Amino acid sequence: MNHHDVAAVQQLQAGLKLLMQGKYPEEVPEEGCSEELSAVIRLFNRLAWQLKELYDYTIPLARGILNVERPGKTNFLASGLKELHSKLSHLTWQAQRIEKGDYEQRIDFMGEFSLAFNSMIVKLEEREQRLKGEILIRQKAEKEFRLQNKLITDSIQYAAVIQRSILPDAVLMDKQTAASFVIWQPRDIVGGDFYWFVPRPDGFMAAVIDCTGHGVPGAFMTLAVSQMLKTLESNSLLTPAELLAILDKQVRETFYSSGKNQESLHAGLDMGLVFVNSVERKIIFSGARLPLFFIHNKQITEVTGARRSIGYESKTRLGKKSAVQFLNREIPCAAGDKLYLSTDGYFDQHGEKDPNPFGVDYFAQLLLEIESLPLEAQKNILQDRLRAYMGSEKQRDDITVIGFEL
């Protein structure tokens, strides 16, 4: 064995050790070696190269990289991996088809995995069909809900037209006064507030009424109370206190006399009622919780009503029926004086930045601040000031304010 053979054998030994450690040796040269050893060297170099090519191919596949270049046909060590590579590529294509809804895809070339994969496809298809059915049911329910909601909203919109029809004509109010304004702002499409105005031979009567509830229940109450007031319009001798007392009796007889549902029924109203006697130059006010604001010679007076409502069961802390009566408050008036009636919706409105309600005192102060302006301008300021105070806060109650200049 010449020295070339000895050196080559040593390199082959070292190369085999590296291969056993998962490392790859440099190519062993065969120059100067015997023919028999040269043949061994060529086989070794080919094996080392195929193992290196197999390693470079296996690592990307293990990491899920399928677009790696395949080893050549002469690398018999990679033939099984190349077949697996092809199957994984086809499986990837099938998964993409399934993602697009093609549940006809099946595999049969990966043993137990094939069974699990095919079972998964069946379950996915069943789940999608179930979801589609649920979506159809939900869409049908939503469509029905929208239809019912439209019918209800249309009905309430028409109810608003009916409710507006019971409100006094602004032209009639202007004929009886030097000027007037009305702010009528239900919280919902319809509401429990309304106002009343009746001419009399010697002047007129005007009122704001806050009935039980908001929305549709409150609107029903306004229609009932409006009809009760119509029966009293023709009696021009009634004072405000007498009218409130009669209305109180009628509400009780209408809603409570049968004895049915008294535990759950809460029907009644608050009301501020004023009679302006243009002949004798005086006003007579009576209220059920609601006040009158009267401006004379740039001085404002809040005339309070009785501390009881109309229709509700008025009881003391001891459970006895309240004996509070409606009383008339008589005040002399003159041309240029101004009267304001309001439900508590304006006073009780909370603000975006202020957790407290707008308040009666601030309302009275605002009226005095703007009293020299025309009533239409006053109306705009009252609305603007309340909107600014509310900010993003929602309207809490129905709002009604009426104003007159004598």
Side-chain angles (χ1 to χ4, degrees):
M1 183 178 293
N2 61 41
H3 69 280
H4 292 290
D5 288 349
V6 172
V9 169
Q10 291 175 345
Q11 285 182 295
L12 288 171
Q13 289 176 335
L16 287 172
K17 288 181 180 179
L18 288 174
L19 289 176
M20 294 296 292
Q21 296 172 3
K23 300 176 182 179
Y24 302 98
E26 296 291 334
E27 184 176 301
V28 178
E30 58 177 298
E31 289 80 2
C33 296
S34 63
E35 184 177 345
E36 292 81 0
L37 187 57
S38 294
V40 173
I41 291 173
R42 286 193 294 273
L43 291 173
F44 174 83
N45 288 337
R46 181 180 175 186
L47 176 63
W49 175 79
Q50 287 189 343
L51 288 173
K52 177 67 167 62
E53 187 180 40
L54 179 64
Y55 177 82
D56 292 341
Y57 178 52
T58 303
I59 294 302
L61 283 182
R63 295 173 180 171
I65 302 173
L66 299 182
N67 62 348
V68 63
E69 184 178 354
R70 288 175 168 80
K73 294 181 179 180
T74 58
N75 193 333
F76 69 95
L77 295 175
S79 59
L81 281 177
K82 288 194 289 184
E83 183 179 354
L84 178 62
H85 186 183
S86 297
K87 291 178 179 180
L88 288 174
S89 297
H90 184 68
L91 182 62
T92 301
W93 176 83
Q94 287 183 295
Q96 292 169 345
R97 295 294 303 167
I98 293 168
E99 182 186 13
K100 295 178 181 179
D102 180 5
Y103 295 110
E104 299 298 322
Q105 297 296 322
R106 296 291 187 274
I107 62 172
D108 57 5
F109 51 81
M110 297 187 70
E112 292 182 1
F113 178 81
S114 298
L115 297 176
F117 186 85
N118 294 337
S119 176
M120 179 193 70
I121 296 173
V122 171
K123 291 178 180 179
L124 282 174
E125 184 175 17
E126 290 174 350
R127 182 172 179 270
E128 181 170 309
Q129 293 302 321
R130 185 172 64 254
L131 288 175
K132 285 181 177 179
E134 292 174 357
I135 290 171
L136 287 174
I137 293 172
R138 188 179 298 114
Q139 288 175 340
K140 183 178 179 181
E142 289 176 354
K143 183 179 180 180
E144 182 67 21
F145 173 78
R146 286 194 295 269
L147 177 61
Q148 292 299 325
N149 186 62
K150 184 178 186 303
L151 291 174
I152 293 171
T153 303
D154 289 347
S155 297
I156 296 175
Q157 292 285 5
Y158 188 68
V161 175
I162 296 174
Q163 186 175 38
R164 282 193 291 270
S165 70
I166 71 171
L167 301 176
D169 189 347
V171 175
L172 176 64
M173 296 168 65
D174 285 339
K175 284 183 179 179
Q176 299 292 323
T177 62
S180 67
F181 75 77
V182 173
I183 298 173
W184 184 67
Q185 190 174 312
R187 189 192 71 174
D188 306 308
I189 299 173
V190 292
D193 276 14
F194 74 108
Y195 54 98
W196 185 65
F197 186 92
V198 178
R200 282 192 168 184
D202 49 358
F204 64 88
M205 265 193 171
V208 291
I209 300 100
D210 182 358
C211 296
T212 302
H214 314 287
V216 174
F220 271 110
M221 278 293 296
T222 64
L223 296 177
V225 175
S226 175
Q227 285 301 115
M228 295 176 194
L229 288 172
K230 276 191 175 298
T231 64
L232 304 174
E233 287 181 4
S234 59
N235 191 341
S236 61
L237 299 178
L238 288 176
T239 67
E242 290 171 338
L243 191 148
L244 293 184
I246 294 172
L247 186 60
D248 180 59
K249 182 181 178 182
Q250 289 185 350
V251 171
R252 290 172 184 272
E253 289 176 348
T254 300
F255 294 102
Y256 296 100
S257 61
S258 67
K260 297 179 180 178
N261 303 318
Q262 287 201 16
E263 293 183 359
S264 59
L265 187 61
H266 192 63
L269 58 116
D270 295 340
M271 183 171 177
L273 174 63
V274 63
F275 167 51
V276 177
N277 191 322
S278 304
V279 177
E280 298 181 13
R281 285 295 179 184
K282 65 179 180 180
I283 60 176
I284 301 174
F285 173 76
S286 186
R289 292 195 178 274
L290 298 182
L292 166 74
F293 297 91
F294 173 64
I295 295 181
H296 174 75
N297 288 337
K298 299 187 180 299
Q299 298 290 323
I300 189 165
T301 302
E302 180 189 348
V303 186
T304 58
R307 296 184 62 183
R308 59 160 294 190
S309 299
I310 292 173
Y312 304 112
E313 286 292 337
S314 300
K315 293 183 179 180
T316 64
R317 292 181 181 177
L318 298 177
K320 297 180 180 180
K321 288 189 176 181
S322 173
V324 175
Q325 302 296 315
F326 298 112
L327 301 175
N328 289 316
R329 299 284 298 277
E330 187 172 314
I331 306 170
C333 62
D337 289 349
K338 298 179 181 68
L339 310 175
Y340 304 89
L341 294 167
S342 176
T343 60
D344 59 7
Y346 198 109
F347 317 142
D348 293 345
Q349 179 61 48
H350 287 235
E352 176 185 5
K353 299 179 181 178
D354 192 337
N356 299 309
F358 193 91
V360 175
D361 292 341
Y362 188 32
F363 179 77
Q365 177 186 334
L366 178 57
L367 291 178
L368 190 60
E369 178 186 323
I370 62 177
E371 66 88 20
S372 61
L373 298 175
L375 285 198
E376 188 63 27
Q378 292 186 31
K379 171 184 175 179
N380 294 334
I381 291 174
L382 286 169
Q383 291 176 311
D384 292 343
R385 194 69 62 90
L386 184 62
R387 276 195 294 266
Y389 183 80
M390 289 171 62
S392 62
E393 183 73 14
K394 292 183 178 180
Q395 184 175 329
R396 291 192 167 203
D397 197 358
D398 302 318
I399 294 172
T400 303
V401 183
I402 60 176
F404 303 103
E405 181 177 347
L406 304 181

